[in-house]
Amino acid sequence: MTFSIVARDPVTGELGVAVASGVLAIGARALAVEPGLAAVAVQGAAGTDQLHALLDRLRARVSPEEAVRSAGLSPEMQCGVVTPSDALSWTGDACPGAAGGVALPEVAVQGNLLTSTEVWEAARETFHSTTGPLHRRLVASLRAAQQAGGDARGQQSVALVVRTVEGTEPLPLDLRVDDHRDPLRELGRLLDVHHAHNLIASGSSVLHEDIDMARRLVDASARLPGDALLAGWAAVGALVHGLPEAALLVNAARSQTPRFAALCALRASHGGPLAPAWNKLAELG
């Protein structure tokens, strides 16, 4: 039915989980990350009840093994759990098709109703051979698992969650593709969108004094045409720092958002160092 990977970044302490399936909206019921506590995936016949049961027990600071033993998982269910100190992959003996998994320090990979046992092994090997941020390693692992055969029914949905230890990031990475012919490709696009919008969420307060941030927003807007919010912030950054793309970005934002001038005026009314630039955009819009 599904394959998943749950992991911890040993350097940053981030916890993350990624899951792919041949059913609709697997992300609605199969995964959760509680910052600093655990990342969990449930699959097979398991759903939100089992997900919450596992998290409740992990909050009581029991081990992943004890959490699984006491959470009432049936033989048709499967789960993966990673905490700051442990990793566990568990497969009930009645899970269908090629089913199983592996847990190593900081990562658990599992799947059922797969084309072969090579699927979860491909995910594990790719996770350990890939460098970079945790989200990149998780997505690379899903892609490798899919290339190895994936879900025997094909592809329909994927989901990805990564959280920092503190859980205070301005735009948490929590993405789902619920129904798509190529969900992993769509997830890659959403990651690009998330990265761009995270620039806005984390950098808007310093945009007036950070020309590098302005350039990064301009570049992101070029990669993601049609994103009106991004185009507007890229336009204001370009205007503040005198970048040559400013006029083009204003036109793009205006064409994508009929009320662009009114929105700029609203942002200007909030005051702050960007208010003059938002006022200027309102006049141009």
Side-chain angles (χ1 to χ4, degrees), residues 74-87:
S74 74
E76 298 83 15
M77 297 178 183
Q78 191 174 43
C79 71
V81 180
V82 170
T83 70
S85 58
D86 292 299

Side-chain angles (χ1 to χ4, degrees), residues 21-93:
S21 184
V23 301
L24 178 72
I26 190 62
R29 60 189 183 276
L31 75 170
V33 177
E34 188 156 318
L37 176 72
V40 180
V42 299
Q43 49 210 53
T48 54
D49 287 347
Q50 289 73 33
L51 191 64
H52 295 317
L54 285 168
L55 286 171
D56 284 344
R57 285 153 179 81
L58 292 165
R59 291 185 190 109
R61 302 298 173 179
V62 304
S63 68
E65 291 82 0
E66 177 58 31
V68 169
R69 278 195 297 269
S70 60
L73 273 65
S74 74
E76 298 83 15
M77 297 178 183
Q78 191 174 43
C79 71
V81 180
V82 170
T83 70
S85 58
D86 292 299
L88 170 73
S89 179
W90 181 87
T91 299
D93 57 16

Side-chain angles (χ1 to χ4, degrees), residues 157-171:
S157 62
V158 298
L160 170 70
V161 181
V162 175
R163 299 300 307 274
T164 64
V165 175
E166 300 82 7
T168 56
E169 55 270 47
L171 185 61

